[in-house]
Amino acid sequence: MSAPRPDAIDAMLKRAFATSPESSRHDCPDPALLASWYERSLARDEFSRIDTHLADCARCQSIVASITRADDALAPAPERRGWRWLLDPRLMAPAVAGVIAIIAVARVFRQPEYIAHAPVPEQIALSDQKSFASLAQREVGQKFAPGTAAENEIPSAMPAPSALPATQPSYGITAAQAVNGQIAAAPATSRANSLMAMALEQPVSTNSASGVPGLIHLASGMARVAAPHSSTTWFVGPHGLIFRREGTGPLRAEASGISTDLTDGAALSSQVCWLIGRSGTVLRTIDGEHWARLSAPTRHDLISVQAQSADSAIVVARGGLRYLTTDAGKTWNPL
Amino acid sequence: MVPGNFREFLANHSALIARAYEGSGAAQWTLPREAFAEALCASVAASAGDAATTIDSLRLPDLALAAACRAGIAPAWEHFILEYRPVLYAAARAIVREDVLARDLADSLYADLYGLEVREGRRRSLLDYFHGRSSLATWLRAVLAQRHIDYLRETRRTEPIDNRRPEAASSDPPDPNRQRYVGAVAIAVEKALGALDARDRMRLGYYYRHGLKLKEIGRLMGESESGVSRHLDRTRRALRAEIERVLAQEHRLSRDQIRLCYDYAAEALPLDLARVLPEAG
């Protein structure tokens, strides 16, 4: 006598769920309720009602399954573990090219005449177009007809740096731009940050194919936090980068004191702003310039913040758990 | 929105409305206070809670942005497109898993979000249904997902019967007991699934029907990845014990026959889960 295979129930359930017609109900909650259920922002009774409905409604299960998949798609890719992938020959060539490009940029930036000879444009040889796509698009933006560049993509017509005339500015920052205040980096700010700052100031493009106004090309991973009732805007992003801009004025780097990626923020005024990031990172400023790291409500990545006052805010962690502080982050209470 | 209720709402909650307006950043969109109050009123009407609790729990900046877009305020639309177009595309790609279709799906939303249909002198926008009870991003994902899933269901409904579920032809000689075994196991599975706790059924659905990863199921159900794994394992063991009990006691089948039941069921289990899983009240 032989026993059923250990995976027999698994195979049978797969078959049963794959071939069974999807059930659905006539009283399905609307997307707004399902979104609130997903974010755990419903009152207990309402949450339980949706939970019960979901148990037996394949249509609504499909919707929340899609929401969570889409949420994952927006999440940063998990770090690869181990070191063997470093030996992957497919990664070696781009890695070497990247290192060469960084060294080339660093050498050019170290030259003292880089800033000194305004307004003579300086050239920066960048061998890696993709790394500085946004910057390049600003520099040679006029060379492309608006609407021909697909959103977030490098224009296909972008000339290689070597193809540009030697007397014309290439994909670098000109000294004129630097002294004219298009970048007003704080002394502590590295020139790499300046590149990021330049990349933030992209012209609006138009996607002629869809007829929908195109995006302002922000540097990858940067989020914009606008303060209400004022013209102050912060741009926050990877490695704790924070830039502040007043109206259409220059970008000024602010020291975050951290190297964790920042993902979002909420400003109440030009003085009070809350920022959040990975691994439960929460920063706050109450003078608009100096940032203090607050205690972490959770070790999970934070995805959203709602500021209520200088001392009170609600943050949402990936997975939907919400935390409230009313004492400027000294304590956090799950909601 | 009932205008009478709105006037009452304005009169009774003026302080709340003013505070919410300040905290929402609606002023940056030059959204008139009354338009914002109207959005608040609709949110409160859609919620079971009282006005103060509901307004405190709302995503006010998102609600203000949605109201401003609905009102056709250009800077709000520019901001919406800047912030949410990448979200929509990424969500569509995750749902459809094909770039061109994903763009079509995401772009198809804009006309409805903008509201091309005009009724009683007012544009009807999909954003009318956003009440700020979740983030705008999650709501957009839900709308996108619902649209795609309803499209798929509609497509399946109109698909010719012949195109559905092609069964693999078997070259083995037919087992005369096969039909009986498959029938017996279908009944046993129906009983066992029907007796499960609602959350256990939900977990099975996410795993077997929707193919979600343990981490994704955990996020939906507020459980850890290992917790989901443990629950699934426990549910499978419980199902198996119950199925085998029914097959052995009610159908008088031996271990060998039960094993055959599993094999046949994995190939063609005539199970309608819509019937098995009771409609919840």
Side-chain angles (χ1 to χ4, degrees):
Chain A
M1 183 185 297
S2 61
R5 294 192 319 270
D7 61 348
I9 186 84
D10 217 39
M12 192 180 66
L13 285 172
K14 267 182 198 155
R15 174 79 191 177
F17 278 93
T19 58
S20 171
E22 292 194 350
S23 61
S24 70
R25 307 267 309 273
H26 295 297
D27 58 344
C28 287
D30 64 16
L33 266 180
L34 288 175
S36 310
W37 174 89
Y38 181 76
E39 290 190 350
R40 305 281 196 275
S41 57
L42 293 175
R44 189 183 296 270
D45 288 352
E46 212 167 5
F47 182 86
S48 301
R49 188 170 63 77
I50 306 294
D51 222 32
T52 310
H53 175 93
L54 274 165
D56 299 324
C57 178
R59 173 179 177 264
C60 290
Q61 278 185 11
S62 296
I63 293 171
V64 295
S66 295
I67 297 174
T68 194
R69 278 205 195 96
D71 210 4
D72 261 1
L74 282 176
E79 288 175 19
R80 301 180 70 165
R81 295 186 179 176
W83 53 271
R84 287 182 185 277
W85 62 274
L86 286 168
L87 301 179
D88 187 338
R90 288 171 301 180
L91 295 176
M92 291 300 280
V96 169
V99 169
I100 291 169
I102 290 167
I103 291 170
V105 171
R107 288 183 65 173
V108 171
F109 280 169
R110 270 207 294 272
Q111 293 170 10
E113 65 273 20
Y114 177 73
I115 299 292
H117 298 300
V120 179
E122 295 291 332
Q123 270 189 263
I124 300 171
L126 301 179
S127 60
D128 186 351
Q129 290 183 33
K130 290 190 179 182
S131 304
F132 296 94
S134 302
L135 179 60
Q137 205 167 349
R138 177 188 171 83
E139 285 291 300
V140 295
Q142 288 75 12
K143 296 183 197 302
F144 309 119
T148 56
E151 177 202 336
N152 291 338
E153 287 172 1
I154 304 164
S156 57
M158 182 182 288
S162 57
L164 292 172
T167 54
Q168 293 298 313
S170 182
Y171 298 159
I173 306 166
T174 64
Q177 287 167 334
V179 296
N180 287 341
Q182 288 184 2
I183 302 173
T189 310
S190 70
R191 288 195 174 93
N193 284 1
S194 301
L195 275 175
M196 181 71 83
M198 283 296 293
L200 282 166
E201 294 198 333
Q202 295 302 313
V204 177
S205 69
T206 302
N207 184 337
S208 60
S210 65
V212 178
L215 291 177
I216 295 170
H217 291 256
L218 290 178
S220 171
M222 299 294 282
R224 193 172 74 170
V225 184
H229 318 302
S230 86
S231 56
T232 304
T233 306
W234 283 275
F235 296 92
V236 301
H239 309 295
L241 282 175
I242 303 176
F243 295 99
R244 176 188 166 118
R245 182 164 66 187
E246 298 298 333
T248 56
L251 285 164
R252 292 184 183 281
E254 294 187 339
S256 67
I258 61 166
S259 58
T260 314
D261 294 349
L262 296 169
T263 50
D264 200 2
L268 291 172
S269 65
S270 58
Q271 273 81 44
V272 178
C273 182
W274 296 70
L275 299 180
I276 54 165
R278 300 189 71 172
S279 311
T281 300
V282 183
L283 300 181
R284 185 194 62 152
T285 180
I286 50 173
D287 63 5
E289 292 180 12
H290 299 94
W291 295 89
R293 185 172 193 168
L294 309 181
S295 67
T298 170
R299 291 170 60 189
H300 292 102
D301 296 346
L302 299 178
I303 57 171
S304 173
V305 56
Q306 186 180 353
Q308 296 171 335
S309 70
D311 294 332
S312 175
I314 295 171
V315 297
V316 182
R318 192 166 296 290
L321 288 178
R322 304 165 80 218
Y323 301 89
L324 166 73
T325 181
T326 53
D327 56 6
K330 290 188 184 74
T331 57
W332 293 90
N333 296 307
L335 293 176
Chain B
M1 166 81 51
V2 181
N5 288 351
F6 177 52
R7 293 292 151 212
E8 196 179 309
F9 177 77
L10 275 180
N12 293 344
H13 304 292
S14 56
L16 264 179
I17 295 167
R19 200 181 69 200
Y21 186 84
E22 295 305 315
S24 69
Q28 71 177 307
W29 311 123
T30 61
L31 180 68
R33 277 174 191 269
E34 183 154 319
F36 180 72
E38 207 174 308
L40 276 183
C41 183
S43 301
V44 170
S47 162
D50 62 277
T53 314
T54 302
I55 290 174
D56 275 349
S57 70
L58 294 178
R59 305 292 195 107
L60 293 175
D62 285 3
L63 185 66
L65 175 63
C69 288
R70 221 164 47 209
I73 297 172
W77 263 107
E78 282 168 22
H79 180 83
F80 177 84
I81 289 168
L82 167 71
E83 293 290 323
Y84 292 100
R85 202 174 176 197
V87 172
L88 274 174
Y89 282 152
R93 269 195 298 272
I95 293 167
V96 181
R97 296 172 185 183
E98 207 275 303
D99 267 358
V100 177
L101 289 178
R103 284 206 166 229
D104 283 351
L105 176 64
D107 287 341
S108 74
L109 223 55
Y110 281 104
D112 292 339
L113 287 169
Y114 186 76
L116 294 180
E117 188 192 348
V118 178
R119 215 182 290 165
E120 295 169 3
R122 185 179 168 162
R123 279 189 298 112
R124 306 295 302 173
S125 163
L126 198 56
L127 289 164
D128 288 345
Y129 300 97
F130 175 70
H131 298 309
R133 299 175 76 190
S134 69
S135 68
L136 191 51
T138 303
W139 178 77
L140 285 169
R141 283 181 211 134
V143 170
L144 211 57
Q146 187 199 46
R147 185 166 286 213
H148 178 63
I149 282 149
D150 285 348
Y151 167 77
L152 283 185
R153 291 168 70 89
E154 188 59 35
T155 311
R156 276 182 205 147
R157 223 189 340 262
T158 54
E159 189 183 337
I161 299 290
D162 290 346
N163 293 351
R164 294 188 198 174
R165 299 186 212 161
E167 299 290 342
S170 170
S171 56
D172 297 335
D175 178 349
N177 290 316
R178 183 187 176 107
Q179 203 64 27
R180 183 168 74 91
Y181 290 165
V182 170
V185 83
I187 292 167
V189 171
E190 283 187 19
K191 276 189 178 173
L193 280 174
L196 285 178
D197 176 73
R199 283 180 73 78
D200 287 338
R201 286 201 304 273
M202 188 159 30
R203 223 176 274 108
L204 287 178
Y206 288 140
Y207 189 75
Y208 287 107
R209 187 195 289 279
H210 303 292
L212 290 188
K213 298 171 191 154
L214 297 179
K215 189 177 86 176
E216 293 168 335
I217 299 172
R219 188 184 307 149
L220 287 175
M221 304 199 61
E223 295 167 353
S224 68
E225 200 173 330
S226 57
V228 174
S229 177
R230 272 198 311 276
H231 282 303
L232 276 174
D233 196 42
R234 180 181 51 76
T235 307
R236 272 190 295 252
R237 275 187 278 115
L239 272 176
R240 181 173 180 160
E242 178 61 11
I243 290 166
E244 289 177 14
R245 186 194 66 76
V246 172
L247 291 176
Q249 291 181 8
E250 297 182 14
H251 296 274
R252 307 279 174 205
L253 297 182
S254 68
R255 295 285 291 169
D256 278 346
Q257 288 170 321
I258 290 173
R259 183 184 58 77
L260 271 178
C261 283
Y262 280 125
D263 288 347
Y264 291 153
E267 289 168 14
L269 186 64
L271 190 60
D272 182 354
L273 289 174
R275 186 162 56 87
V276 174
L277 304 177
E279 302 283 306

